[in-house]
Amino acid sequence: MAVGVIATLKIQEGKNAEFEKTFLELAEKVRANEAGCNFYELHVSKTDPQEYKVLEQYATAEDLAKHGQTDYFKAANGALASVVAAAPQIEVLDSVG
């Protein structure tokens, strides 16, 4: 059963470009190296330019767990810590059907 994730991130004013650059570099590495990742896409809110949502889907819970343990994910989280305004809100979902 596939596992979905919605991560909501609030970014500090004036840090959007830095956030997007770092995140998009991470997304390229995820797509290139994680066969179990079905999609990994960044979206920005139309009503709050400081709020981003990451929509993710993994083939299995194990693939999601592996994602969080990659060196590039850990490095990106370290870099992103200086631009986020609060801890991310993470929702994990089970696919239906």
Side-chain angles (χ1 to χ4, degrees):
M1 176 188 312
V3 177
V5 176
I6 301 173
T8 302
L9 302 112
K10 292 290 267 187
I11 306 306
Q12 297 173 28
E13 292 282 338
K15 300 286 186 169
N16 297 63
E18 183 180 348
F19 167 75
E20 289 177 14
K21 179 182 183 301
T22 301
F23 190 91
L24 293 174
E25 289 171 357
L26 168 63
E28 285 181 30
K29 292 174 184 171
V30 169
R31 290 186 202 108
N33 295 295
E34 297 181 37
C37 181
N38 297 333
F39 58 84
Y40 195 80
E41 298 293 331
L42 181 65
H43 299 77
V44 64
S45 170
K46 288 184 176 254
T47 58
D48 181 355
Q50 300 315 120
E51 183 174 282
Y52 289 80
K53 303 251 185 202
V54 184
L55 306 180
E56 310 170 42
Q57 188 183 65
Y58 301 87
T60 67
E62 292 78 20
D63 292 317
L64 171 56
K66 288 178 193 174
H67 165 70
Q69 296 305 311
T70 62
D71 289 339
Y72 49 84
F73 181 81
K74 291 176 185 177
N77 273 348
L80 294 173
S82 65
V83 299
V84 295
Q89 296 177 350
I90 308 295
E91 183 176 6
V92 179
L93 310 152
D94 288 329
S95 67
V96 177

